[in-house]
Amino acid sequence: MLLHLSTWQEVETYLQESQGIIIPIGSTEQHGPTGLIGTDAICAEAIAGGVGEATQAMVSPTINVGMALHHTAFPGTISLRPSTLIQVVRDYITCLAKTGFTKFYFINGHGGNIATLKAAFSETYAHLENLQISNAQCQLANWFMCSSVYKLAKELYGDQEGSHATPSEVAVTQYIYPQSIKKASLTPEVALGHKIYGATDFRRRYPDGRMGSNPALATPEHGQQFYDLAVTELSTGYLEFLKAQ
C-alpha cells in the first residue's frame, strides 16, 4: 500500500494488522554525464515499492532530497544540510509514531545520507521519549549495499563500478525509465580515490561528476537484475525487522 494513495481509514485498518512502514529516501544530485539527477530517489522509491508489494507493507512518500552538499557545484543538485535532514526525518517519524506506527524501515539510495540518518534516529528516539513514546524502532537499509547487489555489480563491472554515478544505479534508472536513457561521450580516464571536502573542491577533483565509474556499461536488463535482487533481499530484511523485539 502506498500511503499517499490511501485514505486515513485504510491506514487505520492497516495499523490493526501491522505497525511497520517503509520509507524510501534518496537524493537530488548530479550523477555524471549520463546519470539522472534523481537517480538516488528513483532507485530507492522503485525498490521500496517492490518490497512493499512483496511484504504487503505500507510505503510512505519518498524523501527525494538528501544530504548532497558536496555535489552542489554542479547545476541541478538540491541538498539539505545535515541538521535540516535530521529535522525532516524526525518530523516524518514523529507524525507516524503518534498514530501507531512503531517500525520504520528506511530504504536508502544515497551513501551521503548514511551518517545523517544514523544521527537522525538518535535525535528522534530522544524526542519521542520526551513525548512518552518509547516503542519506535528505525532501521537503515541501503539497497546498493545488499550482498547480492554488490556481488552482481562486481561480476558485471569489476573495478569500473566505482563509487558514484555507478553503472549499477544507472542501470536501475534505465530499467525504471527506459524513455530517459542518456548518452554521452565518457573519457576512459576517471578520477578516483580523492577525499571529499567542499563542493568546489569536489568538482575540481571529479570534473565530470563520476567517481571511478563507467556508467556506459549499464543496461536496462542489468537494472532489472539489480532491482529483483534488492527487492528480494530487502523484503527478507524488512520481515525480520518486523519480528525483532
Side-chain angles (χ1 to χ4, degrees):
M1 295 176 64
L2 298 178
L3 181 68
H4 68 285
L5 297 182
S6 305
T7 66
W8 70 263
Q9 293 98 329
E10 289 174 320
V11 177
E12 192 167 69
T13 299
Y14 171 86
L15 283 165
Q16 294 173 10
E17 301 296 328
S18 176
Q19 292 75 52
I21 188 166
I22 296 169
I23 303 177
I25 182 169
S27 185
T28 299
E29 64 185 47
Q30 70 83 19
H31 272 79
T34 60
L36 305 180
I37 286 175
T39 291
D40 292 342
I42 290 167
C43 293
E45 182 171 88
I47 292 167
V51 174
E53 289 181 7
T55 63
Q56 297 299 297
M58 184 73 70
V59 181
S60 86
T62 303
I63 302 175
N64 289 283
V65 179
M67 206 305 288
L69 292 175
H70 51 294
H71 291 295
T72 53
F74 291 87
T77 296
I78 304 172
S79 178
L80 300 178
R81 292 172 297 165
S83 55
T84 304
L85 183 55
I86 287 171
Q87 295 300 311
V88 169
V89 170
R90 192 191 79 170
D91 287 353
Y92 250 63
I93 296 173
T94 298
C95 291
L96 294 167
K98 283 181 176 180
T99 57
F101 287 96
T102 61
K103 296 274 192 170
F104 303 92
Y105 193 73
F106 283 74
I107 293 183
N108 177 43
H110 174 49
N113 287 339
I114 295 174
T116 301
L117 282 172
K118 290 180 178 179
F121 296 163
S122 295
E123 290 264 4
T124 301
Y125 294 144
H127 176 66
L128 292 177
E129 288 278 359
N130 291 335
L131 298 177
Q132 297 185 332
I133 301 173
S134 59
N135 58 347
Q137 297 179 358
C138 303
Q139 184 162 313
L140 175 59
N142 305 299
W143 79 264
F144 50 89
M145 295 178 70
C146 289
S147 59
S148 56
V149 169
Y150 182 83
K151 180 181 178 182
L152 180 60
K154 285 301 180 183
E155 290 174 356
L156 292 175
Y157 313 127
D159 292 340
Q160 295 186 81
E161 166 72 352
S163 59
H164 181 66
T166 62
S168 59
E169 62 184 345
V170 170
V172 174
T173 66
Q174 291 179 347
Y175 169 58
I176 303 300
Y177 288 109
Q179 72 276 21
S180 297
I181 294 174
K182 309 296 183 181
K183 301 292 184 182
S185 178
L186 300 176
T187 60
E189 298 80 22
V190 57
L192 175 67
H194 300 295
K195 292 184 178 181
I196 297 176
Y197 296 106
T200 301
D201 184 72
F202 182 95
R203 182 162 182 176
R204 178 177 66 83
R205 295 176 186 272
Y206 299 100
D208 73 352
R210 293 181 294 155
M211 298 177 70
S213 63
N214 181 9
L217 300 175
T219 70
E221 293 73 24
H222 291 168
Q224 183 172 7
Q225 290 179 268
F226 287 119
Y227 170 87
D228 289 341
L229 289 170
V231 167
T232 298
E233 191 166 329
L234 294 179
S235 294
T236 299
Y238 174 72
L239 293 175
E240 291 175 347
F241 175 54
L242 285 186
K243 294 177 183 176
Q245 297 300 312

